[in-house]
Amino acid sequence: MNQLIFLMPILTVLVASIVLMLLSMYDRFSTKYFIALSSIFLIIALGFSIGTLTNEYSIKVYNDIFNNALIFDSFSNFFTILLIAGTLLTILIGEHYFLHRKYFRGEFFTILMFALFGMILLGNANELVTAFIALEIASFSIYVMVGYNSDDGKRVEAIFKYLVLGSFIGAFYLLGTVLIYGATQTTNLTEISTYISTHSGNDLALVYIGITLILFTFLFKIAAFPFQSWLLDVYRGAPMIITAYMASVFKIAIFSFFLRVFLQDITSIIDFWDSIMYVIVILTLVFGTWLAITQKIVKRMLAASSIVHTGYLLLAFLAVGQNSQAAYATMFYLIAYLLSAIGSFGLVSHINSETRVRVTYDDFKGLSKERPFLAAMMTIFLLSLAGIPSTIGFIGKFYVFTEAIDAGFTSLAVLAIIATIISVYYYFKLIAVMYFYPANASCESEGFNDKRVSTYAIAFIAILTVLGGIGSAIVFFIPIPGIDTMIEIAQMSVQSLMMK
Amino acid sequence: MSADILSFIIFLPAVVAFGLMITTKNVEAVRNIAFLTTTVVLALVLKLYLEFEPSAGMQFVTNASWINSFGINYDIGVDGFSLTILMMIAILIPTSYLLLWEGRTKGYWINLLLVQTGVTGSLLALDVVLFYFFWEVMLLPVFLLIGIYGFGNKVFTTIKVTVYTMAGSLLMFVAILYLGVAFHTEFGHWSFQYTDLMKITTLSYNEKIWLFLAFLAAFAIKIPIFPLHTWIMETYKNAPTGAVFLLSSIMAKLGVYAIVRFMIPIFPDIYVEFSTWFVIFGLFGLVYFGIAALMQDDIKRMFAYSSASHLSLISAGIFSLNEYGINGALYLIIAHAIATGALFLLVGIIHDETGTKSIKKLGGLAKTAPIFTVVFAIMLFANIGLPGTNGFVSELLIIFGIYEFNHTLGYISAITVIIGASYMLWMFQRAILQNRDGKSLNMRDLKIKEIIGLAPWVVLVFIMGIYPDIFIDKFEPTVTHYINDILKIGVMK
């Protein structure tokens, strides 16, 4: 019975999706109602997962039912909290956007919950096939959400590209699983890990190939080079708030599983991929940066810059092989990126929710005079993305670069810094157009009302972004988890991986 | 109380700025409160100055944990060297408010307050990450100041100056991280205090050179040392008076300060080894910028070059490895801040009143604005180092220092100072004294509050010129400590 408590967050999300699905049959429930209901479910789920945060643990619940396919530990709990919180924030920030788009009906929230369910499951998977199913549940929900705007011509291209490429790359994963199964006679991660540690040489050849294929899927899902080509069009075609969701929350889910695999199960052979990853990090950073500078549309710029952030994450990920401390850096950076990305994308969607006009850099001219509060928030998020001190993005970058240098990747760290220098250009350009130009007459919308849930959600995230950067030194008297607490939680989570 | 006085000095302006941001819309109230805040800061700094005992060590140290897992601390303190610059900042800022008094908006004042926090914070930080934090944070208000209140192609200018300075800072950031990691590998725990980083012994010669250059990139861009100066011309031309004042007379000095504070202790051997090159670079910059200044028609641009030229002299002094040179450089930091700051603000007034900054179009200002002309002349003479002014003392010390370092370079530096005198006096003759035919320019004289604002500067110019000892005594122990204990030069001789 006491094992049930660990299942509660994921069960809550599953129940939520079913309840919402049933309710969506009735027309009398408005979108507002669905937003409120799904938020309540998410808060309950968040409560359950935070409740079990206190101690380090690693539990395979209900062995006889799940056959060790699922594992619940502090590590997965860390990601569960991030995923649920991220989804909750997405819904709250998107409130305005959802209400102003007719196509967001009850079913949408069902799908969102299913996506979240798949992602949490992915973080808890201890078995390759389970992970695949979880990944596909999440991916398919996201395919549907990408194509949710039936008025937009671009969504056809977006959904088609994403669906075809995503399914194609999913096949690589399955092929990899098959090869690993062929060598090890199991798909259970713990057993694969045992196999790797007891065999060497030719016995592992298939495992190497298999894991390489699985790595392809990982790189595709996080849009690392050379699998990034879908990203711009898909992000552009998807409704803005879904782009925010994909860029931040979905990426976290992907990392939750692959970090586990790399840290816990194949850590003894991880060096094999170092040289490939080294090149991938370089190309991801260079290519992402090049894409980001050349964009004229703000949404595409943010999308392209998310490739650069993938590069930073991969840099920390690469360092994990030399220096397991870097895992904390990856996790901390995920928190930092979650806040800044969901904030910035969400804010653009909030601005766009009444009109469609604020699209390019030019459209953002003079925003500071029209809506000073939103412009200030946007500035905070952009500063955080650019890694300027006093924001959480700075601490995140500090952490990643320190660990990368500690692991001996100084030249990559320098390259990442150069990418950061260039990122100052495209992020600050947006700040510049918001503040330094008179308002663009064609974009002025009258009678907007900024006193709504999404505005407060954005403000909340902005406060977290700044608190995360200044931390306990200045606000030590406020009982909010500071930087140290977050780092400790990340460390505790990684340590739980070592308990088997 | 006395332990926390530094934190109070750092954060008071920022706290007031945030308070003003969300409360009032009344520009005059904002300005008055902002001015009041800076005078409170000045009073606190004065108290500090009097309580400070001349010695080599840090005083008023506060140390609180910030990011424990990385050994990053909120660690601040003041020694003779930073105290002198702190004093200068505390005096310059409120008086500059008096000269910028009218016609500014709320954002202008708030940004000025935020800059003050950033500047003071980076001046007092003893932890390199904390220093980096303030160093970057002070850039943002300046970014907004130039972008919102600048002239001409201001957006391009803003982006250029930001990317430029940030590129340098981020290279320094890599170096900081590298040092932190080296310390961690050697001692098993994290620390970013510069006194701890001094203890690192494992770095190879090549590593040290790279790290040294990375630090230098950040500071040289800010100062700017030739050839990293290309951002300043546009910036000084397009930026509003307040921002130019801050950049030239305060932030540039922090670049010099940071070289002494962080680069000398952490890389003493590299510093000594390459000092000849930097002195040569400094002198080259002095001549190069001096000649460039000679050819300008826009007064603001001319001062920009002149400022860069003097800053090159400061950096030559800093690298001259002896007490004369370093004392002189520190002294020139103050002298230059006062003279250049005042000149930029006065040019700001000329521009506001007459609508032009061109030397050819100006002229005859002395007739309608006599007090203005007198103050202008005093600052000009201080700038070119006329005996009796603070500029004279500092230039003399630097030239002595460079002479002791290398006789040939000493002669060269002595001669090149003439260039400064020539462009300044030529400009003064054409723009201020010489009468123009045709319609006269509408130039008003200084107002009472502007005179009150400038009075302490004028007084300082002369006191510092006539009794340099009262000031040098405060920072000399620190300089001796640097030269004897850190560079170990005194011991060798």
Side-chain angles (χ1 to χ4, degrees):
Chain A
M1 189 58 206
N2 57 352
Q3 294 179 349
L4 190 63
I5 184 78
F6 299 107
L7 279 172
M8 280 317 284
I10 192 166
L11 285 182
T12 314
V13 173
L14 187 64
V15 169
S17 49
I18 292 169
V19 169
L20 289 171
M21 183 164 66
L22 295 176
L23 289 179
S24 64
M25 288 190 292
Y26 301 99
D27 277 341
R28 90 186 109 124
F29 300 115
S30 64
T31 311
K32 217 171 206 164
Y33 181 85
F34 279 100
I35 292 175
L37 193 62
S38 37
S39 307
I40 291 168
F41 271 116
L42 286 174
I43 289 170
I44 294 172
L46 197 60
F48 279 123
S49 47
I50 291 180
T52 53
L53 186 69
T54 45
N55 290 313
E56 212 177 285
Y57 60 91
S58 175
I59 291 159
K60 288 165 184 162
V61 289
Y62 300 112
N63 250 328
D64 40 342
I65 305 175
F66 292 127
N67 193 22
N68 283 345
L70 293 181
I71 184 166
F72 290 83
D73 51 12
S74 304
F75 183 79
S76 65
N77 195 29
F78 174 88
F79 283 103
T80 308
I81 293 173
L82 280 190
L83 293 170
I84 298 177
T87 312
L88 181 62
L89 290 175
T90 312
I91 292 182
L92 293 180
I93 284 192
E95 180 252 4
H96 199 195
Y97 193 78
F98 293 137
L99 293 181
H100 277 77
R101 296 281 186 276
K102 287 282 167 279
Y103 51 82
F104 286 114
R105 308 278 304 257
E107 302 88 5
F108 175 80
F109 298 93
T110 315
I111 298 168
L112 190 65
M113 288 296 150
F114 271 121
L116 178 60
F117 172 74
M119 291 183 207
I120 298 179
L121 197 62
L122 186 62
N124 289 314
N126 192 34
E127 210 259 285
L128 288 174
V129 177
T130 314
F132 182 71
I133 294 169
L135 185 64
E136 291 300 293
I137 293 176
S139 300
F140 268 88
S141 312
I142 285 177
Y143 297 150
V144 177
M145 292 195 286
V146 166
Y148 219 80
N149 179 3
S150 47
D151 306 333
D152 186 359
K154 290 196 185 67
R155 57 121 197 180
V156 181
E157 187 193 352
I159 189 172
F160 191 69
K161 212 170 213 173
Y162 196 34
L163 180 65
V164 171
L165 290 175
S167 314
F168 183 65
I169 211 76
F172 277 86
Y173 184 99
L174 278 185
L175 186 59
T177 310
V178 168
L179 292 179
I180 292 172
Y181 183 77
T184 63
Q185 308 300 318
T186 179
T187 52
N188 188 297
L189 289 177
T190 322
E191 289 166 28
I192 294 173
S193 165
T194 321
Y195 181 88
I196 290 174
S197 55
T198 51
H199 293 71
S200 61
N202 276 341
D203 291 347
L204 287 181
L206 280 182
V207 176
Y208 277 118
I209 302 175
I211 293 175
T212 312
L213 292 173
I214 289 177
L215 192 68
F216 284 172
T217 313
F218 167 64
L219 293 175
F220 174 84
K221 293 289 180 190
I222 61 167
F225 193 88
F227 303 104
Q228 85 301 334
S229 57
W230 56 272
L231 182 126
L232 277 190
D233 295 325
V234 174
Y235 277 21
R236 173 88 175 99
M240 193 68 209
I241 198 76
I242 304 306
T243 315
Y245 195 66
M246 289 166 75
S248 52
V249 182
F250 191 43
K251 211 176 251 176
I252 292 177
I254 305 292
F255 267 95
S256 69
F257 177 68
F258 287 94
L259 257 184
R260 175 192 295 282
V261 173
F262 281 84
L263 272 176
Q264 176 183 269
D265 302 308
I266 62 162
T267 176
S268 52
I269 55 169
I270 198 174
D271 292 351
F272 176 76
W273 288 276
D274 270 3
S275 49
I276 307 175
M277 289 293 281
Y278 196 92
V279 177
I280 288 176
V281 171
I282 294 177
L283 292 175
T284 306
L285 285 171
V286 170
F287 199 78
T289 302
W290 179 72
L291 268 186
I293 342 177
T294 49
Q295 299 307 320
K296 292 204 169 52
I297 294 169
V298 170
K299 190 181 174 188
R300 281 174 76 105
M301 182 277 284
L302 288 175
S305 80
S306 82
I307 300 179
V308 183
H309 289 278
T310 302
Y312 301 138
L313 279 166
L314 279 179
L315 174 58
F317 199 69
L318 171 63
V320 169
Q322 310 296 324
N323 166 10
S324 61
Q325 306 252 330
Y328 319 145
T330 319
M331 291 160 81
F332 190 85
Y333 199 85
L334 283 171
I335 304 181
Y337 186 64
L338 171 74
L339 290 175
S340 358
I342 224 170
S344 55
F345 277 108
L347 206 148
V348 175
S349 81
H350 178 74
I351 293 172
N352 275 342
S353 48
E354 289 155 49
T355 54
R356 283 167 198 279
V357 284
R358 295 218 191 252
V359 178
T360 63
Y361 276 106
D362 278 354
D363 298 337
F364 276 80
K365 277 184 183 170
L367 189 73
S368 68
K369 292 180 191 71
E370 214 182 307
R371 296 164 99 159
F373 173 76
L374 291 183
M377 299 294 125
M378 191 69 195
T379 309
I380 291 177
F381 297 131
L382 290 171
L383 294 180
S384 179
L385 286 171
I388 305 296
S390 80
T391 60
I392 193 167
F394 168 67
I395 308 284
K397 284 209 173 67
F398 175 85
Y399 210 166
V400 167
F401 296 151
T402 319
E403 296 301 352
I405 293 174
D406 210 5
F409 296 109
T410 312
S411 48
L412 274 189
V414 171
L415 182 76
I417 288 270
I418 292 172
T420 310
I421 294 172
I422 301 172
S423 80
V424 169
Y425 168 74
Y426 49 76
Y427 290 131
F428 274 56
K429 202 162 91 180
L430 186 56
I431 302 180
V433 296
M434 286 194 304
Y435 278 91
F436 304 159
Y437 286 105
N440 198 337
S442 64
C443 293
E444 280 181 39
S445 54
E446 298 227 342
F448 47 77
N449 178 12
D450 271 338
K451 287 197 172 127
R452 38 192 323 133
V453 177
S454 37
T455 322
Y456 295 117
I458 291 168
F460 176 68
I461 297 177
I463 291 170
L464 285 186
T465 310
V466 174
L467 274 189
I470 298 175
S472 46
I474 294 163
V475 285
F476 50 84
F477 50 87
I478 302 176
I480 284 178
I483 304 164
D484 277 323
T485 326
M486 283 194 240
I487 292 175
E488 273 162 29
I489 292 174
Q491 288 174 344
M492 190 178 82
S493 323
V494 172
Q495 278 150 14
S496 78
L497 285 182
M498 310 309 160
M499 316 164 39
K500 281 193 187 169
Chain B
M1 172 61 200
S2 70
D4 291 335
I5 187 170
L6 292 184
S7 308
F8 200 71
I9 290 172
I10 295 177
F11 290 108
L12 181 68
V15 170
V16 172
F18 284 117
L20 290 175
M21 210 184 285
I22 47 176
T23 50
T24 174
K25 277 213 164 73
N26 181 344
V27 178
E28 280 185 13
V30 170
R31 179 194 62 201
N32 295 344
I33 294 173
F35 177 67
L36 198 68
T37 312
T38 59
T39 50
V40 171
V41 170
L42 175 61
L44 289 172
V45 174
L46 271 175
K47 179 172 178 288
L48 199 72
Y49 196 81
L50 296 176
E51 284 177 14
F52 185 87
E53 321 218 328
S55 76
M58 285 292 163
Q59 300 181 28
F60 303 98
V61 174
T62 303
N63 195 340
S65 170
W66 180 19
I67 306 172
N68 244 337
S69 349
F70 276 101
I72 300 174
N73 295 317
Y74 173 75
D75 188 9
I76 51 173
V78 66
D79 64 0
F81 180 26
S82 44
L83 180 75
T84 316
I85 299 181
L86 179 67
M87 191 68 204
M88 165 197 103
I89 294 171
I91 297 178
L92 287 190
I93 289 184
T95 46
S96 75
Y97 278 45
L98 287 173
L99 271 82
L100 294 167
W101 200 252
E102 262 136 34
R104 320 282 156 190
T105 60
K106 179 182 165 187
Y108 201 93
W109 300 112
I110 287 178
N111 278 319
L112 286 182
L113 281 176
L114 291 175
V115 174
Q116 192 171 10
T117 286
V119 166
T120 330
S122 44
L123 183 68
L124 299 179
L126 302 180
D127 184 297
V128 266
V129 176
L130 186 70
F131 167 78
Y132 180 78
F133 176 89
F134 284 118
W135 181 260
E136 289 292 275
V137 163
M138 82 183 161
L139 192 65
L140 298 172
V142 173
F143 171 82
L144 292 174
L145 271 178
I146 302 175
I148 301 176
Y149 306 103
F151 320 100
N153 194 358
K154 59 186 181 182
V155 177
F156 176 75
T157 310
T158 326
I159 300 274
K160 184 172 175 184
V161 62
T162 311
V163 173
Y164 223 105
T165 46
M166 228 164 242
S169 327
L170 283 166
L171 289 177
M172 167 173 80
F173 185 50
V174 182
I176 291 175
L177 296 181
Y178 200 93
L179 284 171
V181 169
F183 183 83
H184 179 239
T185 328
E186 191 175 343
F187 295 94
H189 64 98
W190 292 99
S191 172
F192 285 91
Q193 244 169 44
Y194 84 97
T195 42
D196 277 343
L197 297 181
M198 283 163 67
K199 296 178 196 149
I200 300 174
T201 53
T202 50
L203 292 175
S204 73
Y205 178 74
N206 277 335
E207 279 174 318
K208 276 191 199 167
I209 289 189
W210 282 109
L211 295 174
F212 183 84
L213 289 176
F215 269 94
L216 190 67
F219 305 143
I221 287 176
K222 202 77 144 205
I223 293 177
I225 296 176
F226 181 86
L228 298 172
H229 65 278
T230 54
W231 60 272
I232 65 161
M233 297 317 140
E234 264 173 334
T235 309
Y236 283 17
K237 184 169 155 244
N238 294 340
T241 313
V244 174
F245 163 76
L246 289 169
L247 280 169
S248 69
S249 73
I250 292 176
M251 291 189 185
K253 307 309 182 302
L254 278 180
V256 181
Y257 161 80
I259 289 183
V260 178
R261 169 66 75 230
F262 297 111
M263 286 171 71
I264 297 185
I266 300 178
F267 313 101
D269 38 346
I270 307 289
Y271 177 80
V272 172
E273 189 179 337
F274 287 95
S275 52
T276 316
W277 285 104
F278 291 113
V279 173
I280 292 174
F281 262 113
L283 290 180
F284 181 78
L286 172 68
V287 177
Y288 174 87
F289 292 128
I291 292 173
L294 209 50
M295 303 190 298
Q296 297 307 315
D297 180 47
D298 183 314
I299 296 196
K300 218 165 157 193
R301 273 176 81 98
M302 200 204 87
F303 282 146
Y305 279 110
S306 128
S307 166
S309 170
H310 279 93
L311 284 161
S312 303
L313 185 62
I314 294 179
S315 55
I318 287 285
F319 282 100
S320 67
L321 300 183
N322 55 59
E323 251 174 80
Y324 287 124
I326 296 182
N327 273 335
L330 293 188
Y331 213 63
L332 187 55
I333 287 179
I334 314 292
H336 178 260
I338 294 174
T340 314
L343 287 174
F344 271 120
L345 291 171
L346 292 172
V347 169
I349 294 178
I350 295 185
H351 187 205
D352 285 349
E353 290 301 314
T354 64
T356 178
K357 290 176 291 179
S358 159
I359 297 178
K360 284 197 191 107
K361 288 184 190 148
L362 289 167
L365 297 187
K367 216 183 231 170
T368 49
I371 305 177
F372 177 91
T373 310
V374 171
V375 178
F376 198 89
I378 292 173
M379 292 304 164
L380 204 76
F381 292 142
N383 206 344
I384 59 184
L386 208 72
T389 63
N390 51 10
F392 174 73
V393 179
S394 21
E395 283 184 13
L396 199 69
L397 282 172
I398 292 179
I399 291 169
F400 279 171
I402 297 177
Y403 181 78
E404 198 177 307
F405 177 73
N406 179 317
H407 291 339
T408 327
L409 292 175
Y411 293 131
I412 296 175
S413 65
I415 295 165
T416 47
V417 170
I418 293 176
I419 299 175
S422 56
Y423 61 74
M424 280 295 192
L425 293 175
W426 194 31
M427 180 278 295
F428 188 62
Q429 191 269 327
R430 286 184 298 166
I432 311 283
L433 298 178
Q434 173 185 340
N435 282 329
R436 293 274 164 212
D437 302 330
K439 70 175 174 108
S440 60
L441 292 157
N442 261 337
M443 180 67 194
R444 65 166 171 85
D445 208 347
L446 292 180
K447 294 177 186 161
I448 291 292
K449 65 174 158 303
E450 289 163 346
I451 297 173
I452 295 173
L454 286 166
W457 304 22
V458 173
V459 173
L460 268 180
V461 164
F462 290 115
I463 295 184
M464 286 178 73
I466 297 167
Y467 300 109
D469 279 354
I470 4 177
F471 300 93
I472 291 181
D473 281 351
K474 286 275 184 188
F475 60 77
E476 197 167 15
T478 313
V479 172
T480 321
H481 163 70
Y482 269 75
I483 292 186
N484 291 345
D485 304 341
I486 296 177
L487 294 176
K488 312 231 168 30
I489 290 177
V491 186
M492 287 189 298
K493 277 188 181 165

